[in-house]
Amino acid sequence: MKKRIMLSAAALLLTLGCSQNQLGKSNSKQSVKPEQTVDVLSYVDPFIGTGGHGHTFPGATVPFGMVQLSPDNLTKERWDWTSGYHYSDDTLLGFSHTHLSGTGVGDLLDILVMPFVSNYPENTNNDVGHLYAKYQKEDEKASAGYYSVYLPQEDIKAELTATARVGVHRYHFGGEGTPQILVDLGYAQNFDKAVDTYFRIENNTTLVGYRKSTGWAKFQPVYFVMEFSEAFSAQLFNEKKMVSGDSIQAEKSEAVLSFAQLNNKSVTVKVGISYASIEGARKNIAIEAPFFDFDKTKLAAESLWRDQLNKIQVKDNNEIEKTKFYTALYHAFMAPHLFSDANGEYYGADGKTHVAEGYNRYTLFSLWDTFRALHPLLTITNPKLVDDLIKSMMAFYDESGVLPTWDLMSNETDVMIGYHAVPVIVDAYLKGLTTVDPEKLLQASKTSAMQNKFGIDLFDKYGYIPSELEVEAVSKSLEYAYDDWAIAELAKAIGKDDDYQYFTKRAQSYKNLFDKRVGFMRGKDQSGQWVENFSPTHVDHRTTDYTEANAWQYTWFVPHDVNGLKNLFGSEQAFINKLDQLFTVSSEMEGDVSPDISGLIGQYAHGNEPCHHIPYLYAFTDQKWKGEARIKEIRKTMYRADPDGLAGNDDVGQMSAWYIFSSLGFYPVNPADGKYIFGTPLFDEVTLTLANDQKFTIKQLGSTGENFVDNIDLNGQKLNRNHITHDELKRSGHLTFSFQSRERD
């Protein structure tokens, strides 16, 4: 990713409100006149999702960047601190350079930097056992590409911004005492643990080294180069014990840099990181941040965000909804993370250094979450990026022998189920967005589908996974069936009829687990008998037939054959009745209920991904307005412009992607068939800027917010179907939703 410099005067307009977003600000916004021009960045509030169960972070990053420079609080391995930060916390441990957004497991938080003026390590003799500072929420600011906080006890103002591969800090020391900066490589939170760290003092303005760790990612090396705008004197430590010399290698190490004289008492720090080498980190700084110019770097980061977010332009007077929408876009464009250096080098899934030839390597593929809506969104907003993502997955396949399932910094975590790289790859190929040889795509997909683990071999043998032989048997069977449908479609597209027939048959295996007597997908044993003691509301976290869900929530996962699922219920009305019950039955569950099962409307759980497509299933019936009512309810109740405004983990952007699509008026129920199923739009008018600057406009006419879609026109022609295709959407045009009132059944 190349550093971009702003070229227009408009890019220099830094709206003060953009850097003033904080708790309560979003809800106090006033409507503006439609003709006023407002910087899109003023609608981004990075604090949304940092409270509750959202698991996002407020720090500085650029779209899909390698660096996420953000504050870390005292997590103590608490689940809601997996991003390293929680809005309820006011204990700052420092600023680290890598963070996960919205995940249910914690890792990263590499290379902690903390300014201070007291004596080290005496200042760690406290109840925390670590250098820390308290701060006030009103002294904390965040906007796209920028974060700042004032530390009153130390009288220090900290500011953060970033390029793709470089974190840039600016610290102003306003009080007495010697300005100092701690760099802590042993620091770890959540599941992470340092196993090998290294510092070398190159000169009085440059510090280099690495941090190697284990955790959710079993082995993760991060190399760095730090360049300082002012000269320092340095002291190295091994687990807070002073050591002599200008280098150290230890399991845990720290460096304390003292600045006897500062120009205006401020110091700027550039931290280049690399997953391949120290020299790679050095080159990343040289290319992306050659000068000590914090303000210029901040402007460039804001320009990148402005360009990215303006790909979807909203015209509407509802300021709160626009804040929710553009913050969702912001969160959706944080990942996958750039993983290769400016020279193309990266750390591979085989533990070796590789060079990405002709593309950028990416990592952080939370595919069980993001295959559903985030990746289809990127095919609309960032079609050129998609080829790099597919090549990254294929490089992972070349290095490890299998496509990624949940890739964390070139480590396969296997934390979730399915082989959902497959529908992402197939969708990209069918949309013409990847240059990878389709024969190789098919071979890689088949390799994932023919493994002898995770119950995949049992699925192939029995046509379902027997419950006594594999945990989460129902969920795995349903998701494997969907992925197999995607393989069949790829095989069909390239003329591989035998593969098409084989995987089409496997894709229909979902029918083997539908129990018509109870109307649910239900586990079977290897003799074909239904499991006993069945309850559709029973949950035991990741130890039953369902993954982070129950039978109410997983019965609907047949996105490739909704009509076939309808037929299993016996009639369309029976299908509708069951959908209605999903949203109206009691939300009570028995067993060990996972905290992921959140955002409940009846047994519908919007806080977790298996339910996301369900409201759109009404669009396959003659009562589609019921789905529209649920979509409106979910938009209103599960997304708020507050720190605890997300109903569940943002899950690397998937939760946000649902809101984005559902605000536009459609959603990819089947993420790989090139169709977007109609719901109901939120805004008066939205314009998508597509490839080659083509414009596609979505309008609504006659909406009061309470009535329902009566007619949908594409370029003036009425659509008598429940979807728009990707081919139609990627061309210039306009889609118009007309509304009328309707009596509720």
Side-chain angles (χ1 to χ4, degrees):
M1 182 181 295
K2 296 180 179 179
K3 180 181 177 185
R4 300 179 60 181
I5 306 298
M6 294 188 309
L7 299 177
S8 66
L12 297 174
L13 298 176
L14 298 179
T15 307
L16 287 177
C18 176
S19 60
Q20 299 290 328
N21 285 332
Q22 57 192 42
L23 178 62
K25 176 182 184 296
S26 300
N27 288 329
S28 65
K29 289 187 176 182
Q30 302 296 316
S31 294
V32 298
K33 296 179 181 179
E35 63 269 17
Q36 285 182 300
T37 300
V38 178
D39 188 348
V40 68
L41 299 191
S42 68
Y43 294 115
V44 174
D45 185 350
F47 288 118
I48 292 175
T50 60
H53 299 318
H55 296 188
T56 64
F57 61 84
T61 188
V62 299
F64 314 109
M66 179 184 289
V67 165
Q68 308 84 37
L69 180 53
S70 191
D72 291 343
N73 297 138
L74 181 62
T75 71
K76 292 184 178 178
E77 299 187 10
R78 289 172 288 178
W79 184 63
D80 281 327
W81 275 251
T82 56
S83 73
Y85 176 96
H86 197 269
Y87 194 84
S88 64
D89 206 328
D90 62 356
T91 301
L92 177 71
L93 299 181
F95 310 102
S96 60
H97 290 75
T98 60
H99 291 79
L100 297 170
S101 180
T103 59
V105 183
D107 204 323
L108 305 187
L109 313 182
D110 297 294
I111 312 170
L112 186 79
V113 175
M114 181 65 171
F116 69 100
V117 293
S118 52
N119 294 321
Y120 187 89
E122 290 82 357
N123 53 15
T124 67
N125 295 326
N126 50 49
D127 56 345
V128 174
H130 197 283
L131 171 63
Y132 73 90
K134 291 286 188 177
Y135 61 95
Q136 304 287 330
K137 284 299 169 183
E138 57 266 29
D139 293 330
E140 187 180 34
K141 310 291 185 289
S143 58
Y146 176 77
Y147 173 89
S148 72
V149 66
Y150 175 68
L151 308 177
Q153 185 174 350
E154 294 80 5
D155 194 10
I156 297 172
K157 181 180 181 180
E159 297 179 276
L160 313 175
T161 190
T163 72
R165 302 176 177 92
V166 182
V168 182
H169 312 234
R170 181 165 64 188
Y171 300 120
H172 181 78
F173 296 86
E176 300 298 325
T178 301
Q180 298 175 81
I181 292 176
L182 167 70
V183 183
D184 189 346
L185 301 183
Y187 159 78
Q189 299 273 14
N190 296 310
F191 295 93
D192 185 60
K193 176 187 176 183
V195 295
D196 182 16
T197 67
Y198 172 72
F199 278 115
R200 185 174 79 250
I201 304 166
E202 287 198 339
N203 52 55
N204 64 357
T205 60
T206 307
L207 185 69
V208 306
Y210 62 72
R211 180 181 190 271
K212 299 177 182 179
S213 62
T214 186
W216 189 13
K218 294 305 180 185
F219 183 73
Q220 182 210 350
V222 182
Y223 302 87
F224 67 89
V225 171
M226 293 187 179
E227 297 180 356
F228 295 81
S229 62
E230 306 293 331
F232 60 73
S233 59
Q235 177 61 58
L236 301 178
F237 294 82
N238 182 348
E239 296 194 59
K240 303 176 187 176
K241 296 179 181 179
M242 190 179 300
V243 297
S244 60
D246 59 4
S247 66
I248 182 177
Q249 182 179 5
E251 181 178 322
K252 297 179 181 180
S253 59
E254 311 93 45
V256 172
L257 313 178
S258 299
F259 300 84
Q261 293 182 338
L262 287 180
N263 183 21
N264 296 321
K265 285 200 168 184
S266 290
V267 60
T268 299
V269 189
K270 301 183 295 183
V271 183
I273 70 169
S274 165
Y275 291 96
S277 68
I278 290 174
E279 290 310 307
R282 195 189 312 277
K283 181 164 289 187
N284 291 341
I285 292 180
I287 292 176
E288 296 186 359
F291 307 108
F292 286 101
D293 194 330
F294 183 93
D295 292 326
K296 186 175 181 180
T297 305
K298 175 176 176 282
L299 288 173
E302 291 170 338
S303 181
L304 285 172
W305 278 116
R306 189 175 289 108
D307 289 348
Q308 181 67 26
L309 298 177
N310 272 323
K311 293 181 178 185
I312 304 182
Q313 297 179 323
V314 173
K315 290 185 179 179
D316 198 283
N317 284 343
N318 192 321
E319 300 296 280
I320 292 176
E321 293 295 351
K322 284 191 285 189
T323 294
K324 289 160 59 176
F325 181 81
Y326 279 110
T327 303
L329 275 180
Y330 170 78
H331 283 142
F333 298 142
M334 284 190 169
H337 292 173
L338 179 66
F339 198 57
S340 54
D341 292 338
N343 64 5
E345 291 187 346
Y346 67 89
Y347 171 73
D350 56 1
K352 301 176 182 178
T353 299
H354 297 266
V355 177
E357 298 286 356
Y359 75 101
N360 285 321
R361 174 69 181 263
Y362 287 84
T363 187
L364 194 58
F365 291 107
S366 177
L367 290 163
W368 184 80
D369 306 296
T370 58
F371 88 94
R372 304 168 196 269
L374 178 64
H375 280 282
L377 176 65
L378 297 180
T379 69
I380 298 171
T381 61
N382 294 78
K384 293 181 180 179
L385 172 67
V386 172
D387 195 32
D388 279 5
L389 301 184
I390 303 307
K391 288 179 178 176
S392 297
M393 293 181 193
M394 294 303 293
F396 191 100
Y397 167 73
D398 288 338
E399 295 152 12
S400 70
V402 69
L403 289 168
T405 298
W406 214 120
D407 164 31
L408 176 59
M409 281 44 194
S410 273
N411 286 253
E412 180 54 76
T413 67
D414 285 322
V415 73
M416 298 306 292
I417 67 171
Y419 29 96
H420 296 313
V422 169
V424 175
I425 286 170
V426 173
D427 186 46
Y429 176 73
L430 296 178
K431 289 175 178 175
L433 298 178
T434 182
T435 57
V436 178
D437 179 6
E439 298 270 359
K440 186 173 182 179
L441 295 178
L442 179 61
Q443 183 56 51
S445 299
K446 289 168 60 178
T447 298
S448 288
M450 303 303 290
Q451 299 177 78
N452 292 319
K453 58 182 180 178
F454 309 127
I456 298 173
D457 51 341
L458 300 173
F459 177 71
D460 185 65
K461 177 180 179 180
Y462 291 94
Y464 63 92
I465 300 174
S467 293
E468 77 273 30
L469 300 182
E470 181 77 15
V471 71
E472 300 174 320
V474 173
S475 294
K476 288 177 178 176
S477 296
L478 295 174
E479 298 206 22
Y480 296 163
Y482 171 69
D483 291 339
D484 286 348
W485 171 87
I487 297 174
E489 291 300 298
L490 176 59
K492 180 181 178 181
I494 64 175
K496 301 294 184 180
D497 188 64
D498 289 346
D499 288 331
Y500 171 71
Q501 297 296 336
Y502 174 75
F503 285 103
T504 294
K505 180 180 179 181
R506 284 196 3 172
Q508 291 295 303
S509 297
Y510 73 89
K511 296 175 180 177
N512 296 329
L513 292 182
F514 187 79
D515 185 351
K516 294 184 178 181
R517 297 172 300 170
V518 297
F520 291 102
M521 295 291 181
R522 180 178 177 183
K524 281 182 177 179
D525 62 24
Q526 58 187 318
S527 67
Q529 299 300 308
W530 298 113
V531 296
E532 298 179 354
N533 302 318
F534 171 76
S535 170
T537 58
H538 181 78
V539 175
D540 275 320
H541 183 56
R542 308 220 61 179
T543 61
T544 68
D545 278 336
Y546 307 94
T547 303
E548 295 182 357
N550 60 27
W552 267 115
Q553 293 143 15
Y554 247 107
T555 290
W556 312 98
F557 189 76
V558 190
H560 58 294
D561 191 14
V562 176
N563 289 326
L565 178 62
K566 284 167 55 178
N567 291 336
L568 292 180
F569 282 93
S571 69
E572 180 172 295
Q573 190 57 54
F575 178 77
I576 294 171
N577 292 343
K578 197 73 171 186
L579 274 174
D580 292 346
Q581 292 172 34
L582 170 70
F583 290 98
T584 57
V585 298
S586 169
S587 297
E588 292 296 318
M589 301 179 201
E590 64 267 19
D592 176 19
V593 181
S594 168
D596 296 286
I597 305 176
S598 58
L600 292 168
I601 305 174
Q603 287 288 319
Y604 174 86
H606 191 73
N608 212 19
E609 280 66 29
C611 285
H612 278 189
H613 69 293
I614 295 176
Y616 288 88
L617 297 182
Y618 282 107
F620 293 82
T621 75
D622 62 3
Q623 296 183 29
K624 59 184 180 62
W625 65 272
K626 289 185 175 181
E628 296 173 38
R630 292 303 179 188
I631 291 165
K632 293 175 184 178
E633 180 182 7
I634 295 165
R635 286 192 314 220
K636 181 178 180 180
T637 62
M638 304 297 169
Y639 298 85
R640 302 189 313 279
D642 294 307
D644 63 348
L646 297 181
N649 307 162
D650 196 51
D651 283 316
V652 199
Q654 168 58 28
M655 186 76 70
S656 291
W658 187 96
Y659 186 80
I660 294 161
F661 271 119
S662 295
S663 297
L664 298 179
F666 43 76
Y667 185 82
V669 169
N670 179 341
D673 71 352
K675 297 177 182 177
Y676 305 100
I677 305 302
F678 290 131
T680 182
L682 175 61
F683 298 111
D684 291 341
E685 182 176 325
V686 176
T687 299
L688 310 179
T689 299
L690 308 169
N692 301 318
D693 288 329
Q694 295 188 89
K695 308 288 185 181
F696 190 92
T697 302
I698 303 164
K699 295 182 179 181
Q700 58 174 324
L701 301 176
S703 174
T704 66
E706 299 297 328
N707 50 8
F708 299 93
V709 176
D710 177 55
N711 185 60
I712 303 174
D713 289 345
L714 176 62
N715 300 325
Q717 300 295 315
K718 182 177 180 179
L719 290 180
N720 294 311
R721 46 182 158 92
N722 68 352
H723 66 274
I724 185 172
T725 69
H726 185 80
D727 284 342
E728 291 167 335
L729 190 63
K730 72 180 183 181
R731 297 191 291 267
S732 293
H734 54 271
L735 188 70
T736 304
F737 291 79
S738 300
F739 289 75
Q740 70 170 16
S741 60
R742 185 183 193 94
E743 292 293 329
R744 294 179 181 269
D745 291 351

